[in-house]
């Protein structure tokens, strides 16, 4: 360390001091003393000393600075302008808190604090029962949810042909639009049927829904299919698929799928994962509540929803794990008794069949024409 006891004349720099806002500026000379910046403002005036540790600068002092504008905690309201690149460089060495790097760290600390606050909020939300995954799902842009949906659907239906018989597609569109009338906002739903013997229905992100041929075959009335479809729309409205993926693979991997467009590596099974995770009882109840609202707004009887799930649950109980095509998914649903109570608690309202006879026939035959997976858009 060089001795600062007697500063050389050469290190003196021109300075301008303002005691407080509005007071006249005083010119003088400043130099770097052993403990602080010292400055004289003409003869007869006492020398001021602003200690290094108490200094602040209006702007961080960068390596190429040619002057500095200082304040001190010891002299509130006062400011000191000092000219000279050499002065600025030497001051940076003695009062590192004034450097650009220190300012950068201070700014970074701000982000760290912000992150910590966010993390605390997420924990608080979690503790109070609000799902952080769902909160994240809610802020995903629509286009991102669509892409996540495309990837999920592709991965989930791998190896199965999409059913595209025009009359069936038209019937399904009519049913979907009828149910969508009861939606709170204009949420577009996109329903696809696959030639797949497994009896199932899935909601994937972006309002996309997958129905299987196995499910259509097992439906005895159009009201039953409408009930299942309305239930899946309920999952879609609540963004359950989006939240399940974020919870299952993490936000980072979810964004990777969205931005990459195709699942890579361990993410290839995102659809399978979504199919196997199942939803919590609470999510199922939420989906049912929406389903009942949608059915009512569409003047479709809610009885189909109850009947279908009761029959399927009975089948499942009879066949157990040997159930053909796998009924596993239905196990995560509320017990049929609970759903039956929910359905019977509904007040009667005028209802007509979900589809007329010819549309129902067309929907049941939708797999007459199929599209191979590689032709799919
Ligand atoms: Zn469900």
């Amino acid at each position: 360390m060089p001795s600062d006891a007697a500063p050389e004349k050469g290190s003196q720099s021109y300075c301008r001091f303002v005691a407080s806002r509005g007071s006249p500026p005083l010119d003088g000379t400043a130099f770097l003393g052993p403990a602080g910046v010292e400055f004289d403002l003409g003869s007869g005036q006492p020398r001021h000393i602003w200690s290094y540790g108490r200094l602040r600068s209006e702007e961080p002092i960068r390596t190429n600075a040619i002057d500095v504008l200082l304040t001190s905690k010891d002299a509130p309201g006062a400011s000191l302008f000092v000219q000279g690149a050499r002065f600025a460089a030497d001051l940076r060495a003695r009062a590192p808190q004034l450097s650009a790097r220190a300012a950068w760290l201070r700014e970074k600390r701000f982000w760290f604090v912000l992150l910590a606050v966010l993390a605390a909020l997420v924990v608080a939300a979690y503790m109070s029962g609000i799902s952080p995954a769902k909160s994240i799902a809610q802020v995903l842009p629509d286009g991102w949810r669509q892409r996540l949906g495309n990837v999920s659907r592709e991965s989930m239906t791998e190896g199965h042909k999409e059913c595209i018989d025009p009359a069936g597609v038209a019937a399904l569109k009519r049913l979907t639009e009828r149910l969508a009338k009861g939606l709170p906002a204009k949420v577009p739903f996109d329903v696809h049927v696959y030639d797949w013997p497994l009896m199932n229905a899935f909601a994937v992100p972006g309002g996309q829904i997958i129905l299987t041929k196995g499910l259509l075959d097992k439906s005895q009335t159009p009201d039953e299919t409408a009930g299942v479809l309305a239930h899946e729309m309920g999952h879609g409205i609540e963004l359950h698929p989006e939240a399940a993926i974020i919870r299952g693979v993490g936000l980072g991997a979810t964004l990777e799928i969205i931005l990459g467009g195709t699942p890579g590596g361990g993410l290839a099974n995102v659809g399978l994962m979504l199919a196997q995770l199942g939803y919590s009882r609470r999510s199922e109840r939420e989906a049912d509540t929406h389903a009942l609202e949608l059915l009512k707004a569409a003047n479709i009887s809610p009885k189909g929803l109850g009947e279908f799930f009761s029959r399927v649950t009975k089948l499942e109980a009879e066949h157990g794990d040997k159930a053909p095509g796998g009924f596993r998914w239905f196990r995560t649903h509320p017990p049929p008794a609970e759903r039956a109570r929910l359905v019977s608690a509904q007040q009667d309202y005028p209802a007509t069949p979900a589809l007329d006879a010819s549309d129902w026939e067309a929907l049941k035959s939708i797999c007459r024409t199929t599209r191979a997976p590689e032709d799919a858009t």
Side-chain angles (χ1 to χ4, degrees):
M1 282 283 279
S3 164
D4 296 299
E8 300 155 31
K9 265 256 181 255
S11 68
Q12 291 198 348
S13 305
Y14 162 79
C15 74
R16 171 170 278 202
F17 175 77
V18 177
S20 63
R21 190 185 280 270
S23 53
L26 301 167
D27 293 340
T29 50
F31 60 90
L32 300 169
V37 173
E38 304 188 14
F39 53 99
D40 292 312
L41 302 166
S43 56
Q45 295 259 6
R47 175 175 291 181
H48 298 255
I49 302 176
W50 282 3
S51 70
Y52 294 122
R54 313 275 293 166
L55 287 178
R56 294 290 175 266
S57 58
E58 282 293 300
E59 284 192 7
I61 305 176
R62 298 176 196 285
T63 42
N64 57 354
I66 54 164
D67 49 42
V68 297
L69 182 58
L70 301 170
T71 57
S72 168
K73 286 184 185 173
D74 294 329
S79 65
L80 180 70
F81 172 82
V82 186
Q83 214 166 43
R86 170 86 190 275
F87 181 92
D90 288 349
L91 179 61
R92 255 165 48 96
R94 289 166 206 243
Q97 79 273 16
L98 305 179
S99 71
R101 181 173 164 73
W104 177 77
L105 277 172
R106 268 198 300 278
E107 194 184 322
K108 214 167 173 185
R109 197 167 55 202
F110 165 79
W111 288 107
F112 277 129
V113 169
L114 187 69
L115 262 180
V117 168
L118 280 177
L121 279 176
V122 166
V123 169
Y126 183 78
M127 307 261 284
S128 62
I130 303 164
S131 152
K134 192 171 163 181
S135 320
I136 296 168
Q138 272 163 346
V139 300
L140 288 183
D142 284 350
W144 290 22
R145 297 197 297 112
Q146 276 302 331
R147 253 178 282 174
L148 196 56
N150 291 342
V151 173
S152 306
R153 183 156 62 88
E154 218 171 282
S155 122
M156 193 180 272
T157 60
E158 208 184 345
H160 302 284
K161 292 175 176 171
E162 188 175 352
C163 302
I164 52 162
D165 196 66
V169 170
L172 182 58
K173 189 162 179 276
R174 271 193 282 279
L175 177 58
T176 310
E177 279 171 1
R178 186 171 168 186
L179 286 169
K181 268 191 292 189
L183 289 174
K186 194 139 182 63
V187 187
F189 274 96
D190 191 13
V191 188
H192 301 258
V193 178
Y194 284 83
D195 191 353
W196 193 353
L198 175 88
M199 183 185 64
N200 229 329
F202 302 101
V204 298
Q208 300 189 40
I209 291 168
I210 296 167
L211 299 179
T212 64
K213 182 173 184 292
L215 181 113
L216 292 177
D217 289 347
K218 284 283 187 301
S219 297
Q220 288 178 352
T221 64
D223 286 5
E224 290 188 357
T225 301
V228 173
L229 186 54
H231 175 87
E232 295 307 323
M233 287 166 93
H235 281 306
I237 292 166
E238 289 289 330
L239 302 178
H240 290 153
E242 284 88 342
I245 291 177
I246 293 167
R247 214 177 290 126
V249 304
L251 182 59
T254 304
L255 292 177
E256 210 179 302
I257 296 169
I258 290 168
L259 301 174
T262 49
L267 306 176
N269 292 327
V270 62
L272 191 67
M273 186 208 74
L274 188 58
Q276 283 177 341
L277 276 178
Y279 296 124
S280 68
R281 282 283 187 82
R282 179 177 152 173
S283 298
E284 293 302 340
R285 270 192 293 269
E286 285 172 349
D288 270 349
T289 304
H290 282 295
L292 292 174
E293 285 164 6
L294 295 181
L295 290 167
K296 188 174 181 180
N299 289 108
I300 298 172
S301 165
K303 293 195 177 74
L305 175 71
E307 280 161 12
F308 184 80
F309 280 93
S310 312
R311 210 173 55 251
V312 164
T313 312
K314 224 169 98 192
L315 268 176
E316 189 184 51
E318 282 165 13
H319 295 271
D321 282 337
K322 292 191 271 314
F327 294 149
R328 198 177 300 265
W329 173 75
F330 286 96
R331 270 189 217 146
T332 63
H333 286 72
E338 187 181 324
R339 176 172 277 120
R341 266 201 305 277
L342 199 65
V343 170
S344 61
Q346 287 287 297
Q347 279 200 324
D348 272 350
Y349 52 82
T352 56
L355 287 174
D356 64 29
S358 70
D359 264 356
W360 177 230
E361 194 46 48
L363 180 55
K364 293 276 254 184
S365 314
I366 193 172
C367 293
R368 237 180 350 207
T369 313
T370 57
R371 171 164 56 194
E374 54 268 27
D375 304 332
T377 46

